[in-house]
Amino acid sequence: MAASIFTAVPRAPPVAVFKLTADFREDGDARKVNLGVGAYRTDEGQPWVLPVVKKVEQMIANDNSLNHEYLPILGLPEFRANASRIALGDNSPAIKENRIGSVQSLGGTGALRIGAEFLRRWYNGNNNTATPVYISAPSWENHNSVFVDAGFKDIRTYRYWDAAKRGLDLQGLLDDMEKAPEFSIFILHACAHNPTGTDPTPDQWKQIAAVMKRRFLFPFFDSAYQGFASGSLDKDAWAVRYFVSEGFELFCAQSFSKNFGLYNERVGNLTVVGKNADNVQRVLSQMEKIVRTTWSNPPSQGARIVATTLSSPQLFAEWYDNVKTMADRVLLMRSELRSRLESLGTPGTWNHITEQIGMFSFTGLNPKQVEYMIKEKHIYLMASGRINMCGLTTKNLDYVAKSIHEAVTKIQ
């Protein structure tokens, strides 16, 4: 039998976070804790289907007017409109001036990819693969991969995390923006920076916007945690709305995985803000071509759930309450973990645990300490020291805190 034509294909390394989950599942130790997965968990350590989502799913199932016909290529119109509205705000000047558009996508990753493909083809010249794309150091690992796979050849990092003070390196960030070539693309986390959980303050965002405007840098926001981070939709969208108010043209990738708990429905939206309606329509016409050869047509179920919820005042209020439940649990776990570490006298400072925001915390644990946590304590976390605060529960908090204390004390 002839050798396979695929014999020379190398095996790709596994995706780290999914490998971590697989290792956790195979671990038979009763004490095991998974702090790696990027999804919400209840205090019982279980996934949570939002009550409002259950209600809307039932409404959709009972609606005999619905069918399984194709949606428009750019997606469900009422989903796109409502998704952009919560990103930009009810009183957004861009919405009032009709200079926004949007594309329903397969999750936040799909929104990033459609935006990246468009920018490579039509931004800063035609098919300009040499336009620098700046990604924060550190960032969500998929940011780099999406822009590389879209064809960009010059992926750079900008300073973000100050390991010594366990906070934002604002001066380094601003310096890197000052030195960036004009028209460079900057990927910005709208809120709940992944993996650090450290966000600029409104005043710091104003400084960032001032430099970007002066240097003609393009903002591409990634908004994966609106409402989930602070419990406030408006607070979590502050940066995006400020940039719009300053006259920027920008993209904003939105994910509804976290704030609706719709992880496997792949519900995302790419919001486009331009100078005028004509520009936006031309951009959307090109994005339609990209979508046609990527997934051709988006799925409807998740988008209908979000659109139905956001367009009904009563359902919206229920959803907001559900989101606040998730946000409040994360905030509680932050304060409880910090207080335990400080009570144990764990070396170092731990105020960053409560100063960070969102699903993730950058603990400051080094790779050797992480290895100790996994191998000796059966506590699974990313090599970077990132933990998912939702993996903490009232039942495992003491064990996790004591294990971190032990790791920091024993392993340098």
Side-chain angles (χ1 to χ4, degrees):
M1 187 175 171
S4 169
I5 57 172
F6 303 119
T7 301
V9 177
R11 183 180 293 276
V15 177
V17 69
F18 290 97
K19 172 72 164 61
L20 196 74
T21 300
D23 291 346
F24 168 79
R25 284 185 183 137
E26 290 171 13
D27 189 334
D29 196 287
R31 300 168 299 171
K32 68 178 182 178
V33 179
N34 186 0
L35 300 182
V37 66
Y40 180 78
R41 294 290 181 264
T42 65
D43 195 49
E44 286 71 47
Q46 296 302 310
W48 191 44
V49 179
L50 274 59
V52 73
V53 167
K54 280 187 176 178
K55 179 186 284 190
V56 174
E57 283 179 319
Q58 200 60 55
M59 289 168 59
I60 290 170
N62 294 335
D63 187 344
N64 293 323
S65 72
L66 297 176
N67 54 45
H68 295 289
E69 291 294 297
Y70 288 121
L71 297 182
I73 292 174
L74 293 180
L76 193 68
E78 56 268 38
F79 164 76
R80 294 163 52 210
N82 279 291
S84 293
R85 178 177 60 80
I86 68 160
L88 303 179
D90 290 332
N91 300 313
S92 172
I95 293 176
K96 288 177 179 174
E97 293 158 16
N98 199 30
R99 53 186 180 87
I100 73 124
S102 52
V103 181
Q104 182 187 333
S105 61
L106 299 191
T109 304
L112 287 164
R113 184 58 188 261
I114 296 301
E117 288 281 351
F118 172 86
L119 291 171
R120 194 213 67 232
R121 297 176 193 205
W122 299 107
Y123 174 74
N124 196 23
N126 291 355
N127 199 34
N128 188 353
T129 60
T131 302
V133 177
Y134 282 80
I135 295 168
S136 67
S139 190
W140 182 49
E141 71 279 355
N142 232 12
H143 281 152
N144 188 81
S145 303
V146 165
F147 281 84
V148 167
D149 285 359
F152 285 96
K153 305 292 186 191
D154 189 1
I155 311 292
R156 308 182 187 186
T157 58
Y158 62 88
R159 282 171 283 176
Y160 193 88
W161 174 253
D162 185 329
K165 69 176 185 182
R166 296 184 181 181
L168 181 68
D169 180 5
L170 179 66
Q171 199 50 55
L173 187 161
L174 294 173
D175 287 347
D176 288 342
M177 286 184 166
E178 289 282 8
K179 292 169 185 167
E182 290 184 349
F183 305 109
S184 293
I185 298 162
F186 271 75
I187 311 308
L188 304 170
H189 299 231
C191 66
H193 182 274
N194 178 4
T196 69
T198 296
D199 290 347
T201 64
D203 280 345
Q204 290 169 336
W205 274 120
K206 287 179 181 179
Q207 294 178 62
I208 291 165
V211 175
M212 291 190 74
K213 184 185 280 190
R214 182 161 40 78
R215 300 285 304 139
F216 301 103
L217 306 175
F218 184 80
F220 194 148
F221 281 97
D222 187 357
S223 178
Y225 302 96
Q226 189 182 357
F228 189 100
S230 69
S232 164
L233 288 173
D234 296 333
K235 186 175 180 182
D236 292 346
W238 191 92
V240 176
R241 294 175 187 181
Y242 178 74
F243 273 67
V244 172
S245 74
E246 286 292 294
F248 280 91
E249 293 183 291
L250 57 81
F251 288 174
C252 179
Q254 296 169 263
S255 167
F256 293 90
S257 294
K258 272 73 175 182
N259 57 14
F260 266 84
L262 293 170
Y263 302 96
N264 67 13
E265 295 289 353
R266 310 311 299 137
V267 190
N269 187 59
L270 177 63
T271 293
V272 176
V273 178
K275 290 289 186 192
N276 55 51
D278 179 57
N279 276 313
V280 170
Q281 290 309 311
R282 282 187 284 109
V283 169
L284 291 182
S285 74
Q286 293 296 340
M287 288 185 172
E288 192 171 56
K289 300 289 187 193
I290 297 167
V291 170
R292 180 67 175 142
T293 59
T294 308
W295 53 72
S296 186
N297 230 259
S300 70
Q301 177 72 1
R304 282 199 207 283
I305 292 168
V306 173
T308 303
T309 305
L310 296 183
S311 56
S312 157
Q314 182 189 344
L315 293 170
F316 180 89
E318 288 182 46
W319 171 65
Y320 206 99
D321 187 58
N322 292 171
V323 172
K324 189 142 183 10
T325 296
M326 293 189 286
D328 286 349
R329 182 175 123 63
V330 172
L331 291 169
L332 177 64
M333 290 300 102
R334 286 186 178 280
S335 63
E336 292 291 326
L337 179 61
R338 176 184 171 179
S339 68
R340 279 165 173 75
L341 291 170
E342 290 177 344
S343 295
L344 288 165
T346 309
T349 58
W350 298 98
N351 52 302
H352 61 283
I353 299 288
T354 52
E355 288 169 2
Q356 293 167 0
I357 195 170
M359 183 176 280
F360 301 113
S361 179
F362 223 43
T363 57
L365 295 178
N366 64 41
K368 285 185 178 177
Q369 291 165 342
V370 169
E371 186 180 12
Y372 177 85
M373 292 278 284
I374 295 172
K375 289 188 174 175
E376 301 298 326
K377 296 298 176 181
H378 305 271
I379 297 172
Y380 290 79
L381 64 157
M382 300 297 284
S384 63
R386 186 197 86 171
I387 63 172
N388 178 1
M389 301 306 296
C390 306
L392 295 173
T393 69
T394 50
K395 298 176 190 69
N396 67 28
L397 260 169
D398 285 328
Y399 177 64
V400 171
K402 286 172 183 171
S403 299
I404 291 174
H405 176 81
E406 208 172 288
V408 171
T409 307
K410 285 185 175 181
I411 313 294
Q412 300 308 313

